[in-house]
Amino acid sequence: MELKYDPLWDESGEMRRGCTVREALAWLTRFGSHSAGENVCINGVNYKIGRLLYGPNRPEIVDRPISRVCDGYYRQLNFSV
């Protein structure tokens, strides 16, 4: 599978403006670096990736643009929106 476009980072390694939590998580799960069963921390609150992408009662935070990506402890994703 060839990676043609990364919605989170541009070609120079800078974060793209306007990338939503949903877009980033869909890309990260599609290309196998994370799974729907893993946790993601957004503004200090933990969510399951699957709930944000596929759950019937998704929180509104999933459609907000990411303002900052924080380093995760043991590969956990951490975003600020």
Side-chain angles (χ1 to χ4, degrees):
M1 190 179 299
E2 185 178 336
L3 305 177
K4 293 185 180 189
Y5 176 75
D6 180 342
L8 195 52
W9 305 104
D10 67 14
E11 296 77 19
S12 64
E14 297 293 321
M15 190 172 85
R16 292 185 195 273
R17 296 201 184 275
C19 178
T20 65
V21 171
R22 182 191 315 251
E23 290 171 321
L25 293 177
W27 188 83
L28 289 167
T29 57
R30 179 176 180 207
F31 290 103
S33 61
H34 291 278
S35 72
E38 293 181 47
N39 288 324
V40 60
C41 184
I42 303 170
N43 293 344
V45 178
N46 283 317
Y47 299 93
K48 288 283 185 194
I49 293 174
R51 177 177 175 232
L52 295 174
L53 291 177
Y54 313 115
N57 298 319
R58 288 185 289 259
E60 291 180 15
I61 203 163
V62 77
D63 291 317
R64 294 187 55 199
I66 296 169
S67 63
R68 191 174 67 147
V69 176
C70 308
D71 284 338
Y73 187 67
Y74 288 109
R75 287 190 63 229
Q76 181 175 346
L77 296 169
N78 294 289
F79 298 132
S80 292
V81 295

